[in-house]
Amino acid sequence: MNKRIGRHTVKIEKPVYIISAASYAGKKEGEGPLGKYFDFVAKDIMLGEKSWEKAESMFFKKAFETALQKAEKNFDDIDYLLAGDLLNQCGGSTFGLRDFKIPYFGIYGACSTFGEAISLGSMLIDGGFGKNILCGAGSHFCSAEKQFRSPLELGTQRPPTSTWTVTGSGAVVLSSEGSGPRVTYVTTGRIIDMGIKDSGNMGAAMAGAACDVIEAHFNETGRTPDYYDVIATGDLGDVGKALVKKYAGEAGIIFNNNLTDCGIEIFDNETQDTHCGGSGCACSAVTFSGYFYKKLLKKEIKNILLIPTGALMNTDISQQGETIPAIAHAVAIEAE
Amino acid sequence: METTEKKKKEYQQAVKVLSPNSHIIKNCIWAFFSGGTICLIGHILRRIFESLNYSEDKTALLVNLILIASSALLTGLGLYSKMGKKCGAGTVVPITGFANSMVSPSIEYKTQGFILGLGAKMFTVAGPVLVYGITTSVIVGIIHYFIMG
Amino acid sequence: MDILEYLRAFITGGTICVIGQILIDKTKLTSARILVLFVVSGCILGGLGIYKYIYDFGGAGATVPLTGFGYLLSKGVIEEVDKVGFLGAFTGGLKSAAGGVTIAVVFSLLAALIFKPKDKN
């Protein structure tokens, strides 16, 4: 059992390569700074479907199929499918992937789902339970607003601390053979609740969980932040990032300009009116699959600590006055 | 990350400091002028109908009809939410905002069918308004009865 | 035509909306809560006989905001109680609001039939 190197961290000893990655993004994301990196940018985020929920499923289908094609694999080659999203009962993934006929684990980690999928996929391969695993996550601005906030046409103001749910889906194929960046460490977060109630300030709700997993990762691996070219949280936005800097700093973890956030990378908050940045399952999924993965392949960066963050909010329980618990999962991914 | 009550308090304080505030002055100016304009339109309409010799009750109804119909149209065209982004309470508080709160979920939940989708969700905001508005009126009526009666 | 009368409508309506805006920004109340609060306040102020003065001053500036809807409810219920007695408390409010509510329901339905949901970009 020497794979477990700490309370939160496991070392992935056998090679787990990310042999392909695919990103399908919405129109607004395509107009953002990372637009040119995505495999596909939808002109109409309905994708020809009749409802936003169906459109979200279609994003899943397209992204996951593309990841398979890029890996030159068939459905039959894949041992497990790991996916999740924000909709009730993971509707986006279930309905998007129901025709795949691959043994499936539907997972939920809110916006941290992409990290959860890669973590579990890597552990399955290292454990010898599978050779090829397809995993990913996605979200859709419209279906998320509908489920968690208010109707799109309701004339409300978004608070300055709010973030914008990313439309799209990102998927990767993990394999025990092949080439590509390797997953080397998986640090699994705990549920952390800092007592934030404001659902218009998700970055603040999640930053505590991000700090917790960051502390755990560096303490247990013995690494320092300098080791990584990029340390990217999932969707903390400006407020969350500032909080991580402050509290990780207090714990002695000092970043040298390598700390970023997928939600900050994906939008230009000034011109795109996204307030604090992007959010949603798709935020870290498409930013990693589209942008960071390509940088790893080109060796522009040699490694990344990806930390998708999730607010484990339940709208009913929130209305009962509860605070917002959060989670974050860190995965170390290193170019060969 | 510690999660003691003391740490949580301190964290929540830090969140307050680090979170950008709403531009309250700017928002209030927008709300004042947009809300004022909608009311001014209402008042102009009222004077027009009065000059056409409609009774007070009919005038009030016709003004509401025009404002609500305009709000429904603007909501359907996706313009009311754009105005709402700038105007804030200026477009929430007038009767047009009430109409917007009924029209917007109706359109959005049409995909879930006419009964439990459109029909039920129409009242997500308007329902509570009616529940508490009507109840208050009943209380006002009863009190009025016992004091004045 | 009295230009001041229009100005008063503008200022009254604008001021009521500013109160709503301050509540939104300072207390993070959702617009649903704001609307409920305004209707209830309008109804209470109407019942206390205070809103009448705002109405006399502001005209449509007092009736178009949702406080005006509350005022209408209170006015209706008081008139009905005066007319038919105790049971009027249960009919007066909604009777006076019947037109407005019906118009809103019908136009919401019409709009939903005509328009499709679309994204916000």
Side-chain angles (χ1 to χ4, degrees), chain A residues 60-110:
Chain A
F60 268 89
K61 189 169 187 289
K62 297 279 183 197
F64 281 61
E65 279 175 355
T66 308
L68 273 184
Q69 280 163 15
K70 283 183 161 186
E72 296 173 355
K73 302 279 183 205
N74 297 318
F75 291 141
D76 296 340
D77 299 326
I78 304 296
D79 301 309
Y80 287 108
L81 177 57
L82 302 173
D85 59 279
L86 293 174
L87 296 186
N88 291 333
Q89 291 79 40
C90 292
S93 9
T94 310
F95 290 90
L97 308 174
R98 67 177 156 186
D99 296 331
F100 279 32
K101 313 289 184 224
I102 302 171
Y104 168 70
F105 286 118
I107 57 176
Y108 185 79

Side-chain angles (χ1 to χ4, degrees), chain C residues 19-75:
Chain C
I19 296 170
Q21 187 66 44
I22 292 169
L23 287 171
I24 290 177
D25 284 345
K26 283 287 172 196
T27 62
K28 306 211 186 271
L29 283 179
T30 54
S31 55
R33 283 162 201 255
I34 297 284
L35 290 182
V36 170
L37 186 69
F38 272 52
V39 166
V40 172
S41 315
C43 195
I44 293 172
L45 290 174
L48 294 172
I50 297 168
Y51 206 84
K52 194 185 170 303
Y53 297 106
I54 305 177
Y55 170 67
D56 290 342
F57 177 80
T63 54
V64 171
L66 224 58
T67 42
F69 186 69
Y71 169 59
L72 186 69
L73 290 171
S74 70
K75 201 168 141 241

Side-chain angles (χ1 to χ4, degrees), chain A:
Chain A
M1 287 302 284
N2 55 357
K3 283 175 185 170
R4 281 192 76 84
I5 64 165
R7 181 85 181 89
H8 303 79
T9 308
V10 296
K11 184 166 196 264
I12 305 295
E13 288 183 322
K14 292 186 194 152
V16 174
Y17 302 101
I18 304 177
I19 59 171
S20 76
S23 50
Y24 259 59
K27 183 167 174 274
K28 192 182 183 82
E29 293 69 24
E31 289 162 357
L34 306 184
K36 61 175 189 284
Y37 293 98
F38 301 130
D39 294 313
F40 176 83
V41 173
K43 280 195 199 74
D44 170 16
I45 61 172
M46 287 297 273
L47 287 180
E49 295 294 321
K50 285 214 168 73
S51 72
W52 298 323
E53 293 76 9
K54 287 186 174 140
E56 178 169 341
S57 291
M58 190 49 83
F59 271 101
F60 268 89
K61 189 169 187 289
K62 297 279 183 197
F64 281 61
E65 279 175 355
T66 308
L68 273 184
Q69 280 163 15
K70 283 183 161 186
E72 296 173 355
K73 302 279 183 205
N74 297 318
F75 291 141
D76 296 340
D77 299 326
I78 304 296
D79 301 309
Y80 287 108
L81 177 57
L82 302 173
D85 59 279
L86 293 174
L87 296 186
N88 291 333
Q89 291 79 40
C90 292
S93 9
T94 310
F95 290 90
L97 308 174
R98 67 177 156 186
D99 296 331
F100 279 32
K101 313 289 184 224
I102 302 171
Y104 168 70
F105 286 118
I107 57 176
Y108 185 79
C111 312
S112 75
T113 302
F114 190 64
E116 187 176 352
I118 294 182
S119 298
L120 293 170
S122 305
M123 285 152 81
L124 283 171
I125 291 179
D126 192 22
F129 300 106
K131 283 200 173 84
N132 298 304
I133 289 176
L134 177 58
C135 45
S139 52
H140 195 293
F141 173 78
C142 301
S143 60
E145 286 289 307
K146 181 176 168 184
Q147 179 172 312
F148 291 102
R149 297 195 179 93
S150 50
L152 290 189
E153 298 306 336
L154 188 67
T156 52
Q157 281 173 325
R158 298 156 49 74
T161 49
S162 68
T163 49
W164 187 280
T165 305
V166 171
T167 302
S169 175
V172 295
V173 175
L174 304 178
S175 180
S176 56
E177 286 162 6
S179 64
R182 276 184 62 179
V183 180
T184 51
Y185 284 97
V186 166
T187 305
T188 304
R190 303 182 289 175
I191 301 168
I192 297 287
D193 190 332
M194 297 310 287
I196 301 294
K197 279 190 179 176
D198 182 5
S199 65
N201 196 351
M202 287 300 199
M206 298 186 292
C211 281
D212 192 62
V213 83
I214 287 170
E215 281 175 38
H217 179 81
F218 289 117
N219 287 339
E220 293 171 12
T221 58
R223 289 179 174 175
T224 58
D226 298 340
Y227 181 86
Y228 294 103
D229 288 346
V230 175
I231 297 171
T233 50
D235 55 350
L236 295 182
D238 295 327
V239 174
K241 187 185 166 190
L243 285 162
V244 164
K245 265 199 162 157
K246 174 175 157 63
Y247 283 97
E250 283 179 15
I253 297 162
I254 311 295
F255 305 99
N256 59 6
N257 288 329
N258 53 357
L259 177 70
T260 185
D261 180 72
C262 296
I264 294 172
E265 297 281 338
I266 196 166
F267 290 127
D268 181 341
N269 290 340
E270 291 294 316
T271 61
Q272 294 192 287
D273 192 35
T274 42
H275 299 254
C276 267
S279 60
C281 295
C283 187
S284 54
V286 299
T287 304
F288 177 78
S289 305
Y291 178 57
F292 290 125
Y293 182 74
K294 286 179 183 136
K295 288 191 115 179
L296 284 163
L297 282 186
K298 285 185 192 154
K299 308 268 158 72
E300 286 173 31
I301 54 173
K302 65 176 193 298
N303 54 26
I304 176 173
L305 184 66
L306 184 69
I307 312 162
T309 37
L312 301 173
M313 194 184 75
N314 172 303
T315 42
D316 289 338
I317 299 174
S318 273
Q319 282 170 1
Q320 292 164 14
E322 260 291 359
T323 51
I324 304 171
I327 187 107
H329 298 298
V331 275
I333 299 165
E334 310 188 31
E336 275 185 285

Side-chain angles (χ1 to χ4, degrees), chain A residues 46 49-54 146 151-153, chain B residues 75-77 102-124, chain C residues 107-118:
Chain A
M46 287 297 273
E49 295 294 321
K50 285 214 168 73
S51 72
W52 298 323
E53 293 76 9
K54 287 186 174 140
K146 181 176 168 184
L152 290 189
E153 298 306 336
Chain B
T75 303
L77 294 171
M102 290 176 73
V103 176
S104 55
S106 304
I107 295 177
E108 181 145 320
Y109 282 91
K110 192 168 59 161
T111 51
Q112 263 110 299
F114 286 96
I115 308 301
L116 291 177
L118 194 166
K121 299 290 183 180
M122 184 189 284
F123 290 96
T124 40
Chain C
F107 278 95
S108 299
L109 183 61
L110 272 178
L113 292 176
I114 297 167
F115 297 104
K116 274 190 190 159
K118 52 179 171 301

Side-chain angles (χ1 to χ4, degrees), chain B residues 27-28 32 36-37 39-40 43 46-47 56 61 76 88-89 92-93 95 102 110 114 118 129 133-134 137-138 144-145, chain C residues 5-6 10 13-14 17-18 21 25 35 39 55 59-60 64 66 77-78 82 86 89 94 99 108 112-113 115 118:
Chain B
N27 287 347
C28 283
F32 182 79
T37 305
C39 293
L40 179 63
H43 203 76
R46 203 170 120 175
R47 283 286 174 256
E56 198 188 330
L61 205 58
V92 170
V93 170
I95 190 85
M102 290 176 73
K110 192 168 59 161
F114 286 96
L118 194 166
V129 170
I134 290 170
S137 83
V138 171
H144 179 76
Y145 176 80
Chain C
E5 176 193 325
Y6 293 90
F10 184 86
C17 292
V18 167
Q21 187 66 44
D25 284 345
L35 290 182
V39 166
Y55 170 67
V64 171
L66 224 58
V77 81
I78 287 169
D82 288 343
F86 185 76
L94 205 48
S108 299
L113 292 176
F115 297 104
K118 52 179 171 301

Side-chain angles (χ1 to χ4, degrees), chain B residues 57-86:
Chain B
D57 286 352
K58 278 188 182 156
T59 297
L61 205 58
L62 285 165
V63 171
N64 274 343
L65 180 87
I66 292 177
L67 290 177
I68 290 170
S70 318
S71 171
L73 183 69
L74 290 171
T75 303
L77 294 171
L79 297 174
Y80 205 87
S81 57
K82 286 209 174 90
M83 284 159 54
K85 236 183 99 43
K86 279 257 178 263

